[in-house]
Amino acid sequence: MNDAPAPAPPADAPQADPKLTHAAGEWKHTSPLLSCRFDPSGQFVFCSAQDNSVQRWNIASGQATALNAHDSWVRALAFNPAGNHLYTGGYDGRVFVWETAAAQPTPLRSLNAHDDVAHEGWVRAIAVSPDGKTVATCGNDNLVRLWNAEDGKLLNVLSGHSKHVYNVMFHPDGARLISGDLKGEVREWDLATSEQVRTLDGGSLWKYDEGFRADIGGVRGIDFSPDAALLACGGISEVSNAFAGIGNPLVVVFDYATGEKKQSLVTSKKLRGTIWNVHCHRQGFVIGCDSGHEGGHLLFWNTNDPNEFFDFKLPNLCYDSDLHSDGLRVVTAHQDHVLRIWRMTAPAA
Amino acid sequence: MKCQYACGTAEHVLERRRFLGTIAGMAGAATLGAPRMVQAAMPELVAGDKHIIMIWLAGGVSQLETWDPKPKTNTGGPFRAIPTSVPGMHICELLPHTAKQMHHLAIVRSINTKENDHGKGAYCMTTGRKQEPVAQYPHLGAVGAKLLAPEDSPLPGHIHVSAGGSGGSGNDAAYLGPRYSSIVLGDGNPPRNTALPEGITPEADNRRHAFRTSVNDHFAKRRRWAESDAFVSSFDQARQLMERRDVFDVSKEAVKDQERYGNSEFGKQLLLARRLVEKGVSCVQVTHSNYDTHYENFDFHIEQLGEFDQPFATLVADLVERGLWDKTLVVVMSEFGRTPSINQFHGRDHWGTAWSVALGGCGIQRGAIIGKTNDNGTEVADREVDHGHLFHTYLSAIGVDSSGEFDAGGRKLPMADPAAAPITELLA
């Protein structure tokens, strides 16, 4: 996640209207896409793919540049607040730091806990603190690691999760960190002491399937509302068939002050899918990127209503999304190799 | 002396069968029905000397995430290949512990069963035959029990340690008869009804047994039947099994061994398999579930193979250290593999066209790789084999002429599919 709060828009800035969502650009790769992020400047979109590469797409020129260093799929993409550094985390356990706009990108450094890896097993997510000084990573070793962004040195290890840690995000105040795991456990950590402060119950995003004999679910997407009053966690719930991944997309919205569940955002139709990422828009609505047996969807909710107020059908399954800092555009990474940008305003005449 | 039976009417058989309960059906099957007629038309093996452990990865484990990785291809998925203890042999990084034991094991990478259905695939792989509407063939464990189990063994010859289930008896011996059907240990628990009922003391049970023996002896002096002998034998065997109930209790194993296999359910079940083999059980199947990963194949293989790897590697090392490896055929198999192509849900689907099994121990060449698939695993590129070849190989490995026949009441039945043959280069 890019945890730097988006700058407040000018008073006369255009407002997003999800019901006006329309295609605003696309770029096709040669392999199914996994993750995507706008860079903070909004000049580029980065995406990762099943060919182990990360691709940088210049939105204006359409030029694509490959970032090749990982030995496996890359699922974690994050920027520092200044936007000049990109962090990539892969299923090879490695985290690389890149110059965002380099003409011929090569890693500036890697974050190494030992043996050139940041985590044992997959790196699932990366977050950078609002002041840009600390990087948080998490992964399949059930750990959260904190790194010095300046020199890449390991600062601390936060242990306590009993399952793979799927997501990590800094609180906008920079003093606390949130991590969410396969079992839907959401933990809050005090960064001054590196102690766990409390656990929020996202258990509805997890199931141990007795027939399948495996865990299914997890905190697939996580985001704070701009005022940090709400924390949204997305994933799959009510799994009826783990073999085929049949459940219902769900976003659990917590009242962050109390830690209590405020709302469960569901879908009016049985989409039999998973929320792969979630975004709290500055206008107060929540966006969920859903994919499953009914295809791909961008779902829009108001947090006072459990049902979506708008369901935008995507042309293909998508496994990640990101919200542009202008609040008007969303990018989605698709299984059909296509990176798509959507604009939530009236189409240009 | 040949005994003189009063008669052999079906009515008596029926009444006797109604009498038998779960445990009697289990132990009594030793002497009932077809099995007493079935003989192996071949030289006798040294009974009790060899064993089979079949590890069944239910649902169809992915060959790309186990024995035939294809990293950096369009089908390879996110996992990397790692070197093993056999120079030049690589397996998936999800099996780091197993990789260190591969010098004891072999891989067949060129299986094409042409079967993508769970039930039919399982039938192929466990019987060595295609499923037919007019014929039933026995499970490898039943065949192994028939060939390997001592006639007088107090323990069942064919045990299935299942993932879940409540126990009971399988129906997988076909014409070999119920004696060789699997006894199912649900979740690794001892067979049902093998503990004395509450309120029955051992002394009371002994008195009950003495009374039953007395009555049986009295009855046998006047009317002796094959079925009455079976009746007596079934109770005797059930009693022997009850006396050996601790055979099924892995907590009797040394603490260091329990720790070595780990605390997972599967680890305990593999330790139980080793314990059963060491105590004389001929064939043990352990099922690990579930690998039917149409969705999130990679996450699920991390979880499932994470449970499989360390206990399995421990089993191999343990059997070697105890001198049981060369007497025990160990096979890791599924009903099929999984599609090389990654579906839109990051899953892999059913795939019987080009996949792998791993095996080792009794009669198997160590460190062998048989056959290969093409660069991205979509087809067999060399030495295509199927379930029939594998079944012949298993029998050959335990020292049986797989072209032999069972004699079921005068009817000659080939032990393995006559259209196939052993994979001779895999045999030690």
Side-chain angles (χ1 to χ4, degrees):
Chain A
M1 301 292 294
N2 177 16
D3 295 338
D12 58 349
Q15 295 286 294
D17 181 350
K19 294 181 179 177
L20 297 176
T21 300
H22 63 276
E26 65 177 45
W27 172 77
K28 186 161 188 175
H29 186 45
T30 55
S31 176
L33 303 183
L34 300 167
S35 295
C36 58
R37 291 290 181 275
F38 286 109
D39 85 294
S41 76
Q43 182 184 0
F44 303 111
V45 184
F46 288 76
C47 63
S48 59
Q50 289 187 15
D51 62 5
N52 299 351
S53 76
V54 173
Q55 301 287 329
R56 184 183 67 198
W57 178 40
N58 185 313
I59 299 172
S61 71
Q63 183 185 20
T65 304
L67 289 71
N68 292 313
H70 285 280
D71 208 16
S72 183
W73 294 4
V74 173
R75 192 65 171 136
L77 301 170
F79 296 92
N80 64 343
N84 60 321
H85 286 166
L86 165 70
Y87 294 82
T88 61
Y91 290 172
D92 54 4
R94 293 192 281 185
V95 173
F96 290 112
V97 188
W98 309 75
E99 192 73 40
T100 302
Q104 295 180 316
T106 55
L108 298 172
R109 73 173 78 88
S110 59
L111 305 184
N112 302 325
H114 59 84
D115 297 331
D116 296 332
V117 297
H119 288 268
E120 289 293 332
W122 294 5
V123 174
R124 295 273 191 172
I126 302 173
V128 185
S129 63
D131 65 5
K133 293 180 178 177
T134 308
V135 179
T137 61
C138 63
N140 282 4
D141 53 6
N142 302 351
L143 298 174
V144 175
R145 287 197 158 99
L146 300 175
W147 311 82
N148 185 328
E150 180 71 26
D151 58 13
K153 296 278 177 57
L154 181 63
L155 297 173
N156 218 329
V157 180
L158 309 181
S159 60
H161 283 284
S162 61
K163 292 286 183 180
H164 298 167
V165 189
Y166 277 21
N167 246 306
V168 65
M169 186 176 190
F170 284 90
H171 186 279
D173 69 10
R176 287 166 283 176
L177 185 81
I178 301 298
S179 55
D181 68 19
L182 170 57
K183 290 186 75 172
E185 281 192 7
V186 180
R187 293 173 184 244
E188 182 185 65
W189 307 85
D190 182 335
L191 293 174
T193 63
S194 296
E195 295 293 326
Q196 181 187 315
V197 177
R198 59 177 174 163
T199 300
L200 284 64
D201 180 12
S204 52
L205 295 169
W206 166 79
K207 175 183 178 179
Y208 180 79
D209 189 295
E210 292 290 344
F212 200 61
R213 299 208 155 217
D215 298 288
I216 179 169
V219 180
R220 302 286 185 165
I222 190 167
D223 199 15
F224 273 107
S225 60
D227 61 1
L230 302 176
L231 177 70
C233 297
I236 188 171
S237 71
E238 300 174 330
V239 173
S240 59
N241 182 343
F243 299 80
I246 296 177
N248 294 315
L250 173 68
V251 176
V252 179
V253 179
F254 295 97
D255 178 319
Y256 192 69
T258 66
E260 297 297 318
K261 193 182 297 182
K262 174 185 168 68
Q263 188 65 272
S264 292
L265 303 178
V266 297
T267 54
S268 51
K269 295 177 184 172
K270 298 294 183 189
L271 295 181
R272 301 189 300 162
T274 302
I275 295 291
W276 293 101
N277 208 347
V278 62
H279 314 284
C280 294
H281 194 276
R282 64 185 181 225
Q283 290 173 221
F285 58 85
V286 173
I287 306 170
C289 160
D290 162 71
S291 267
H293 291 266
E294 304 301 326
H297 299 255
L298 285 177
L299 299 160
F300 299 86
W301 291 275
N302 288 313
T303 56
N304 58 2
D305 185 347
N307 288 314
E308 81 279 4
F309 69 85
F310 186 57
D311 173 359
F312 182 75
K313 183 79 164 68
L314 294 165
N316 189 256
L317 280 80
C318 64
Y319 283 97
D320 198 14
S321 59
D322 194 27
L323 179 62
H324 194 281
S325 57
D326 65 13
L328 304 178
R329 285 174 285 177
V330 174
V331 63
T332 48
H334 291 266
Q335 177 69 15
D336 64 359
H337 312 183
V338 179
L339 191 65
R340 294 182 169 91
I341 294 178
W342 309 95
R343 190 174 178 88
M344 298 180 286
T345 60
Chain B
M1 186 178 82
K2 187 176 181 182
C3 62
Q4 300 298 313
Y5 296 122
C7 75
T9 59
E11 287 75 9
H12 284 281
V13 175
L14 180 62
E15 287 307 305
R16 183 244 324 144
R17 282 184 175 157
R18 283 177 184 161
F19 183 82
L20 294 173
T22 303
I23 187 171
M26 185 169 70
T31 51
L32 299 179
R36 70 177 186 267
M37 299 185 296
V38 177
Q39 302 297 327
M42 52 173 295
E44 287 293 317
L45 295 169
V46 180
D49 192 43
K50 293 179 178 174
H51 311 271
I52 299 171
I53 296 177
M54 177 203 289
I55 298 169
W56 182 258
L57 304 185
V61 72
S62 168
Q63 69 282 2
L64 294 113
E65 275 67 66
T66 50
W67 316 115
D68 194 13
K70 302 287 183 184
K72 296 183 178 177
T73 68
N74 63 334
T75 59
F79 299 117
R80 294 164 292 178
I82 56 172
T84 69
S85 54
V86 178
M89 177 195 284
H90 289 71
I91 61 175
C92 180
E93 64 175 323
L94 294 179
L95 301 172
H97 296 282
T98 302
K100 295 173 184 169
Q101 301 297 332
M102 289 309 294
H103 56 292
H104 298 300
L105 293 158
I107 302 172
V108 180
R109 284 179 169 160
S110 50
I111 303 168
N112 182 3
T113 58
K114 304 178 178 68
E115 187 55 72
N116 294 333
D117 174 83
H118 284 292
K120 292 176 181 175
Y123 192 87
C124 284
M125 292 302 292
T126 57
T127 68
R129 317 283 186 116
K130 284 281 187 185
Q131 204 164 15
E132 299 172 16
V134 294
Q136 287 289 316
Y137 296 101
H139 185 285
L140 174 64
V143 172
K146 168 65 189 167
L147 296 168
L148 301 175
E151 282 292 320
D152 58 351
S153 173
L155 294 171
H158 179 197
I159 288 178
H160 178 190
V161 182
S162 72
S166 56
S169 179
N171 182 25
D172 45 18
Y175 56 79
L176 294 179
R179 174 177 182 176
Y180 302 106
S181 288
S182 56
I183 302 305
V184 182
L185 309 184
D187 278 334
N189 294 315
R192 284 186 300 184
N193 305 331
T194 50
L196 282 177
E198 195 173 340
I200 302 289
T201 65
E203 293 74 21
D205 187 53
N206 285 337
R207 288 197 301 274
R208 191 169 61 169
H209 177 66
F211 176 70
R212 185 171 52 241
T213 302
S214 169
V215 171
N216 286 344
D217 289 348
H218 181 71
F219 183 82
K221 286 175 184 170
R222 293 181 295 142
R223 288 170 64 87
R224 187 174 181 193
W225 312 56
E227 284 72 22
S228 64
D229 279 356
F231 176 86
V232 172
S233 176
S234 67
F235 271 90
D236 288 345
Q237 293 210 2
R239 192 173 166 81
Q240 290 182 66
L241 186 61
M242 291 172 75
E243 289 169 353
R244 289 162 176 77
R245 198 167 188 269
D246 64 354
V247 164
F248 304 96
D249 185 357
V250 291
S251 71
K252 305 289 186 190
E253 288 289 324
V255 172
K256 68 176 177 54
D257 286 320
Q258 295 181 52
E259 291 173 350
R260 187 180 182 194
Y261 279 83
N263 280 325
S264 71
E265 183 182 71
F266 183 65
K268 291 175 181 173
Q269 292 175 356
L270 284 191
L271 176 57
L272 175 59
R274 194 271 285 151
R275 180 175 172 82
L276 292 172
V277 162
E278 200 165 42
K279 299 292 184 186
V281 175
S282 297
C283 298
V284 182
Q285 174 179 335
V286 179
T287 293
H288 188 231
S289 185
N290 189 286
Y291 293 84
D292 194 17
T293 50
H294 298 279
Y295 167 85
E296 292 288 295
N297 171 77
F298 309 106
D299 279 297
F300 286 132
H301 272 77
I302 290 175
E303 185 163 352
Q304 305 294 31
L305 291 172
E307 290 179 5
F308 167 85
D309 180 42
Q310 189 270 337
F312 174 66
T314 300
L315 173 71
V316 174
D318 194 14
L319 291 173
V320 171
E321 291 163 17
R322 288 169 186 266
L324 290 167
W325 186 247
D326 291 333
K327 301 176 182 177
T328 308
L329 173 67
V330 177
V331 188
V332 182
M333 67 164 91
S334 290
E335 56 265 54
F336 39 59
R338 304 209 75 81
T339 49
S341 60
I342 300 164
N343 72 23
Q344 61 180 346
F345 305 118
H346 292 175
R348 295 191 193 270
D349 302 314
H350 303 172
W351 181 251
T353 305
W355 59 288
S356 308
V357 300
L359 68 169
C362 182
I364 299 297
Q365 189 189 144
R366 295 174 187 232
I369 301 175
I370 304 299
K372 65 179 182 182
T373 51
N374 64 359
D375 288 346
N376 60 1
T378 57
E379 60 185 40
V380 172
D382 182 45
R383 188 51 166 122
E384 181 171 305
V385 298
D386 66 15
H387 47 281
H389 300 98
L390 290 167
F391 204 85
H392 273 276
T393 306
Y394 305 146
L395 298 185
S396 299
I398 58 171
V400 173
D401 176 359
S402 63
S403 65
E405 297 171 320
F406 289 117
D407 182 343
R411 191 168 157 226
K412 304 289 187 187
L413 297 167
M415 289 180 185
D417 186 349
I423 306 167
T424 53
E425 66 271 33
L426 179 55
L427 298 170

